[in-house]
Amino acid sequence: MQSSQAVRLWPAWVILALQAVAMILTITPSINNATRFYFMMLGPVMCLLLFLIWLFFASRIPLKERLLTFAGLVVLGLAAGFAADPSVRIAVWIYGIPLAMLAITVGLFIGREASSGRRLSFVLAGTTIAFGLLNLVRLGGFTGDYLPEMTWRWASSYEEVLTGVAEPGDRPATITATTDWPGFRGPERDGKAPGFDTPLDWKTSPPQEAWRISIGPGWSSFAHASGRLYTQEQRGESEVVSCYDAASGETIWQHVSPVRFNEVVAGPGPRATPTVDDGRVFALGATGLLSALDAETGRQLWQHDLVAKVEAMPPVWGFSGSPLVASGAVIVYAGGKGDHGLVAYAVATGEPAWQIASNGMNFSSAQLMRLAGQELVLFADGTGVTAIDPANGDVAWRFKPSEWGGPPIVQAQQLSPDELVVSLGDGAGVARLEATWAGGAWKVRELWSSRGLKPSFNDFVYHNGFLYGFDQNIFACVDAATGERRWKRGRYGFGQQVLLTASSQIIVITEKGELVLLDANPDEHTELARLPMLEGKTWNHPIVAEQRLIVRNGREAVSLELAPGASSVAALESGR
C-alpha cells in the first residue's frame, strides 16, 4: 500500500488552476480577440509542459507509473485526434488536454492510498473518458466570446442538409443602371443608409418579411445593384459567388470555384463581400481567388489566385478584404512577397496596375476617401495608416498613431473634409486624425486617441458628432470631438449595425441573430424594439436597399420591408 503522503498533488491542482484562469481569460470579451486567441491556444501548451515537469520530477509516484501515465496520455490523445470528427481535432488540444490533466489528477487523488497498479487504472480510465467525450461532439466554431459551438456528432450538420449549388430560377435577366449599395458597408464603406425621413416604429409597424432563403456558410455581406443581390457562400467543397433576385430571393446565377476554406474559430466559407461596378462583380475568396464576373450572367471575365500569383500567405482567418474599385482598378490586400502587399489590377483585363509593399495578417478593406480635396485610398496595416493615389499607387502619406496596436479589422470613418477616425487594432481603441494639404505637402497629426471604443471585427458609425459601435461585445457611444465615452450599454454580442441617417436610428443585428432598433442618441442608450430574426451565429453586416433591410448569416438570408405600409420598388415591379 502507498502512504497517504506518497503522492504530491498540490502542484497539479495549482497547474489546473492556472489552466482555468487561461480559459477564463479566453472568454473575457474586455480583452482583445488576438490576446484571447493566444490564451486559448497557448494555455494548454504551457500548462501541459508544467504538468509533465510535475509528473516526472515532483509527483512522487513510481517511475513505471509515471511512464505509463505519460504513455496513456499520448496514446489516448492521438487516438482521440484520429477518431474524433475532423472539426473537433483542434478541440482535442484546447479542451482534451486540460480534461486529461484533470482526469489524471483526480485519478491520483482517488487512488492516493491504493496500490500503484490500481491507481494507474483510475488514471487511465479517467483519461479515456476525458478524451472519449470529445468523440461525441462536432465543433461548429466559436462565438465572439470564444465559447465553443458544439453539437452532437450524429446530428446532421447544416452543410450536410444544404448540399450542392442552388438551381437558378426563371426570373428574366434585367440589368438597369441603379446601384445603391455597391459593396461592403455601402457606397462609402461607412455603414450609412439614406432615406426613412419618418422614424421607424417597430412596435406599431414592425418590418414585414418579404422572403427567407437558405444560404451557405460564410461571413460575406450583400452588395445590391439593379434589383439584384450579390454575396459569397460555401457550398460543400465549392466556394460560390451568388446572385439573387432582390424582390423574391430566387437564384439568378452562381459562379463556382472548387476551393474550400475552413478554420477553427469562424468555420467554413468566404469572408469578403463582392463589389459591383459598371456591370462587373469583383469577389475575393477566402483562399485568395480574386474573380471578375459579368454581373448579368456570372460569366468569369478573369481570375487571379493571389497565393500563386504574388506568393501571398493565406491569413489565419482567410482573405477578408472586400475589393475596392477606384480609378479603373480593383484593389485588394494580398500580403504577397516584395511589393505585392496591396495590389491593384485593371478592372477590364486583370492586368497589374500598381502595388505597394505590406505583409502580415490583415483583415480590413481598402477604402476611398476625399481628404483635403484629394481622392485617396486609405489602407491600414501593421505599420500604420497609408494614403495612396488610386490612379498610380503613389503613397501620399503614412502615419502611425501613438497607440497603434496592429492592423485593424474595421473601416475608418470620415468626420470632415480633412478628419477621420481610425481603429488602432483589434480591441485596441480608436484615434482621430487630421490630414491637411498645404504648400505642396501633406501634414498628418493625431488629435486624440481613446479606449472608450475598442472595436474588434464589429464596425462603428459616425453621426452628428458622435461615434456608435461595439466596445468589444457591448454597444457604446463616444464623443467624436474628444474621444470621451458617453455611454456603454446593450449587450448584443459581437454583432453588426447599419445607420439610418435621416431618421437618426441604428439597426443592430446581434451575434445571436436578433434585430435591435436603437435611437442614435448621445445622451442615453435607447432601445426602441427587439425582434428575433436569424438562427445561429451572425457576424455578417446588414444592408439597406430599396426600402428593405437584408440580413444573413451562415445559414439563411432574410429580406424585410422597412417602410410601414410601403413596398420596395423591386417588389412593385414584380407584382408582389
Side-chain angles (χ1 to χ4, degrees), residues 254-308:
Q254 290 191 321
H255 175 269
V256 178
S257 297
V259 295
R260 177 179 174 85
F261 178 82
N262 193 9
E263 49 87 9
V264 62
V265 175
R271 276 70 174 126
T273 299
T275 300
V276 185
D277 181 79
D278 194 23
R280 300 182 180 93
V281 178
F282 301 95
L284 178 63
T287 66
L289 289 181
L290 176 63
S291 304
L293 311 173
D294 181 85
E296 182 174 352
T297 65
R299 179 175 59 88
Q300 182 174 299
L301 304 175
W302 53 263
Q303 186 180 76
H304 293 315
D305 182 344
L306 297 181
V307 173

Side-chain angles (χ1 to χ4, degrees), residues 90-365:
I90 189 67
V92 171
W93 182 259
I94 298 171
Y95 302 115
I97 293 297
L99 283 173
M101 292 191 297
L102 176 61
I104 292 171
T105 305
V106 171
L108 290 173
F109 176 77
I110 294 173
R112 62 190 182 281
E113 295 184 356
S115 65
S116 177
R118 185 170 177 77
R119 185 170 57 218
L120 180 62
S121 67
F122 290 144
V123 167
L124 294 180
T127 307
T128 301
I129 293 172
F131 282 123
L133 290 173
L134 296 175
N135 284 285
L136 303 177
V137 297
R138 178 188 288 118
L139 180 65
F142 292 80
T143 68
D145 290 329
Y146 280 131
L147 294 172
E149 298 180 299
M150 290 188 176
T151 58
W152 295 117
R153 186 174 183 175
W154 52 85
S156 297
S157 70
Y158 176 70
E159 282 201 84
E160 290 171 339
V161 175
L162 184 72
T163 57
V165 176
E167 292 296 328
D170 296 328
R171 179 188 187 278
T174 55
I175 291 290
T176 60
T178 61
T179 301
D180 56 1
W181 201 275
F184 183 55
R185 302 195 75 220
E188 307 298 327
R189 299 202 162 178
D190 56 5
K192 296 180 180 180
F196 304 103
D197 294 330
T198 301
L200 301 180
D201 183 357
W202 284 2
K203 291 185 178 179
T204 59
S205 300
Q208 300 299 306
E209 185 172 310
W211 50 258
R212 182 184 295 261
I213 60 172
S214 296
I215 200 166
W219 303 116
S220 303
S221 180
F222 283 106
H224 177 272
S226 307
R228 295 183 174 199
L229 293 167
Y230 301 88
T231 192
Q232 293 169 261
E233 52 189 296
Q234 193 74 40
R235 297 269 180 161
E237 298 304 311
S238 298
E239 189 174 70
V240 177
V241 181
S242 299
C243 174
Y244 294 101
D245 184 336
S248 66
E250 292 180 353
T251 302
I252 298 175
W253 56 255
Q254 290 191 321
H255 175 269
V256 178
S257 297
V259 295
R260 177 179 174 85
F261 178 82
N262 193 9
E263 49 87 9
V264 62
V265 175
R271 276 70 174 126
T273 299
T275 300
V276 185
D277 181 79
D278 194 23
R280 300 182 180 93
V281 178
F282 301 95
L284 178 63
T287 66
L289 289 181
L290 176 63
S291 304
L293 311 173
D294 181 85
E296 182 174 352
T297 65
R299 179 175 59 88
Q300 182 174 299
L301 304 175
W302 53 263
Q303 186 180 76
H304 293 315
D305 182 344
L306 297 181
V307 173
K309 189 174 184 65
V310 299
E311 298 182 76
M313 178 67 69
V316 64
W317 293 313
F319 287 92
S320 304
S322 299
L324 173 69
V325 176
S327 298
V330 56
I331 304 163
V332 295
Y333 177 73
K337 287 194 174 181
D339 291 337
H340 295 93
L342 189 70
V343 295
Y345 298 100
V347 295
T349 64
E351 292 299 313
W354 52 261
Q355 59 275 326
I356 63 171
S358 178
N359 53 46
M361 298 294 107
N362 202 323
F363 304 95
S364 63
S365 303

